[in-house]
Amino acid sequence: MMLDTLGVGLIGSRTAVFNKALTYSQSFNSKEKSSIWGKSEISLPPNYAAFVNGIAVHSMDFDDTWHPATHPSGAVLPALLALAEVMPRKPSGLELLLAFNVGIEVQGRLLRFSREAHNIPERFHPPSVVGVMGSAAASAKLLGLSALQCSHALAVAASSAGAPLANTATQTKPLHIGNATRRGLEAAQLVQLGLKGNPAILDMDSGFGIYYKDYNPSAMPDCADGGFDWTLDKQDVAFKRIPAHLGMHWVADAALAARAKMETRQSFEPSEISSITLRVPSSKYINCALPTSQHQARHSFQFNACSALLDNEITVDSFSKMQINRKALKELLSKVKIETPADNKPSFENMYSEVQLETNDGHRYAAACDTFYGHWRRPLSQEDLIQKFKSNAATVLTSEGVHGIIDVIENIEDEKDCASLISYLKMANLT
């Protein structure tokens, strides 16, 4: 998860939304400075470094996802690395790893207190709700705060939680991750200075309960009793092969399979297709018939199905302005109709996508996907995960930086401190 997050953050540092956030953040100054990933010459105050690096992680919607739905890593890792860099005693790799796990665990526990949270979101973007809590918990752990101080940090963070889904498919969506990681870090730092909130915030309907209609918290097992199990031990996360909303991975794989079926009988010619039917779950914010921006395209069943059909693949470049505006793609998009079968639940655990092609001569070719490659039920191989990181990181870093990060992350438990990881993250390829 750490390696993938760093990779998507590095390639995300080439996006327009990242550059806007970086320009804004450079107006702030402080004696303490933390690094910006992939930028050898730029550093910022820790909270703004976390903010900018968090935005980079989610700028292409390329970061990890799990069930119940959220992007867990991007809200935690940027805060921890920014904080670690300015601490008087640099934390060890094992301390960093433990704090990271705490941040992931808090998110998972909170999400599992709600059935609503198990579905594709309806009101709030989940990283903006639980991500800030995970960042606060992870930062509090790394700072060595007491149990009571950790409760106060979560209380402070809860007052910065929540972002409406209306801003998905826009440049503002990546700010949800940036704000979560920054505000969680700030909550822990404020509590370290003596700020207090309501330590019962997680147990109240008027506290964290405002974000989920059926929020029903329960006590965690006492670690001392040996009854505690890490949530990550029970379920893997989904690592994305394409930089798009997770739901797009089902429809992309189904489209590729439908095209392959068509090619067993005839050559694939877009002009020969008379209609394209997509059977997908009902969801308003990932249903965009004619996207005009990369952010809309990353949230469009129609775009991702048609791009996969037209090119027989989806890549980072598929979401460029030139690719989005292709005449051939728009012609395919005009042939798409959406169906939302009642049995196709809007849940990343249970959903499926089916793509049916009908040709001018009346032939039909259909394929369905219920578990794409990269889903927690069908995880990426370690080899493919590392290859994804290399492809992403190599757009920004030197070869030494790319391979150095892989080596550090693979041996994180044995690292004396985080200095080498920070150093590799700054090895920008300036050619």
Side-chain angles (χ1 to χ4, degrees):
M1 292 167 73
M2 284 181 165
L3 189 69
D4 187 68
T5 302
L6 294 172
V8 299
L10 285 162
I11 194 172
S13 69
R14 295 291 180 90
T15 60
V17 63
F18 168 86
N19 285 318
K20 290 172 183 176
L22 179 61
T23 299
Y24 161 76
S25 298
Q26 284 180 289
S27 64
F28 297 90
N29 213 333
S30 120
K31 292 180 181 178
E32 294 184 326
K33 297 285 188 179
S34 297
S35 301
I36 304 303
W37 304 349
K39 301 287 183 182
S40 57
E41 74 288 1
I42 301 176
S43 58
L44 292 172
N47 52 341
Y48 283 97
F51 174 64
V52 169
N53 290 330
I55 287 172
V57 169
H58 197 56
S59 63
M60 300 171 70
D61 222 314
F62 214 177
D63 44 328
D64 58 18
T65 310
W66 72 346
H67 178 73
T70 196
H71 302 284
S73 299
V76 174
L77 191 58
L80 290 178
L81 290 181
L83 179 59
E85 196 170 356
V86 298
M87 291 175 68
R89 184 189 70 80
K90 300 296 183 286
S92 67
L94 190 58
E95 289 170 325
L96 180 72
L97 183 61
L98 179 56
F100 179 79
N101 273 270
V102 167
I104 303 302
E105 184 71 23
V106 165
Q107 295 178 73
R109 294 281 173 169
L110 291 173
L111 287 166
R112 282 163 174 76
F113 292 153
S114 163
R115 290 303 307 170
E116 177 191 347
H118 284 65
N119 298 325
I120 292 176
E122 297 177 1
R123 297 180 297 149
F124 297 105
H125 189 210
S128 74
V129 176
V130 296
V132 67
M133 308 299 282
S135 173
S139 299
K141 179 65 178 175
L142 202 64
L143 288 169
L145 302 189
S146 69
L148 180 58
Q149 286 177 310
C150 288
S151 296
H152 285 300
L154 292 172
V156 175
S159 284
S160 294
L165 282 173
N167 272 327
T168 56
T170 74
Q171 282 192 332
T172 297
K173 188 188 180 195
L175 269 67
H176 297 172
I177 293 282
N179 283 330
T181 193
R182 170 194 165 194
R183 295 295 191 183
L185 171 56
E186 288 177 346
Q189 291 174 318
L190 286 166
V191 168
Q192 190 179 39
L193 294 172
L195 189 71
K196 295 182 179 179
N198 186 338
I201 198 110
L202 299 184
D203 304 315
M204 304 168 66
D205 288 338
S206 60
F208 194 78
I210 66 170
Y211 297 108
Y212 294 106
K213 291 173 286 191
D214 59 352
Y215 180 69
N216 184 27
S218 59
M220 289 176 60
D222 191 329
C223 297
D225 296 337
F228 177 82
D229 293 311
W230 291 95
T231 303
L232 272 177
D233 284 343
K234 300 175 182 177
Q235 181 195 303
D236 203 348
V237 298
F239 293 109
K240 297 180 177 181
R241 300 182 348 266
I242 60 174
H245 182 277
L246 194 71
M248 304 304 106
H249 291 64
W250 279 271
V251 78
D253 279 12
L256 292 171
R259 173 177 165 141
K261 285 188 176 182
M262 181 175 172
E263 289 180 318
T264 62
R265 292 193 57 169
Q266 62 187 95
S267 61
F268 182 84
E269 292 292 341
S271 60
E272 289 298 310
I273 296 175
S274 60
S275 68
I276 303 169
T277 303
L278 309 182
R279 299 185 178 98
V280 294
S282 177
S283 180
K284 294 179 181 178
Y285 81 97
I286 47 177
N287 179 357
C288 182
L290 294 170
T292 58
S293 71
Q294 61 166 296
H295 297 282
Q296 289 179 346
R298 298 184 200 281
H299 295 78
S300 168
F301 282 125
Q302 297 91 327
F303 175 87
N304 286 273
C306 289
S307 288
L309 288 170
L310 190 61
D311 301 326
N312 207 22
E313 64 175 355
I314 298 180
T315 68
V316 169
D317 292 335
S318 299
F319 301 90
S320 68
K321 187 174 182 179
M322 183 179 71
Q323 296 292 89
I324 291 171
N325 290 328
R326 287 180 294 170
K327 181 180 178 181
L329 179 63
K330 290 184 176 181
E331 288 177 353
L332 270 187
L333 285 169
S334 70
K335 301 175 182 180
V336 175
K337 63 177 180 178
I338 293 278
E339 294 181 359
T340 54
D343 68 335
N344 200 354
K345 304 301 181 185
S347 163
F348 294 143
E349 180 69 9
N350 302 314
M351 67 175 279
Y352 67 87
S353 289
E354 183 178 358
V355 176
Q356 178 181 287
L357 310 179
E358 185 163 352
T359 58
N360 295 329
D361 57 9
H363 285 105
R364 292 182 177 179
Y365 306 95
C369 174
D370 63 6
T371 306
F372 66 86
Y373 180 46
H375 192 276
W376 44 86
R377 289 194 300 266
R378 193 183 168 205
L380 291 185
S381 68
Q382 184 70 5
E383 180 182 4
D384 285 345
L385 185 66
I386 291 175
Q387 184 55 49
K388 176 189 172 183
F389 171 79
K390 287 180 178 178
S391 298
N392 288 336
T395 63
V396 179
L397 299 183
T398 63
S399 177
E400 181 183 357
V402 172
H403 290 93
I405 291 171
I406 294 172
D407 184 63
V408 169
I409 295 297
E410 286 185 342
N411 299 284
I412 192 72
E413 299 96 326
D414 301 321
E415 291 291 317
K416 287 177 57 178
D417 59 45
C418 306
S420 58
L421 179 58
I422 300 298
S423 176
Y424 289 128
L425 280 166
K426 294 169 67 174
M427 289 186 177
N429 184 351
L430 301 178
T431 58

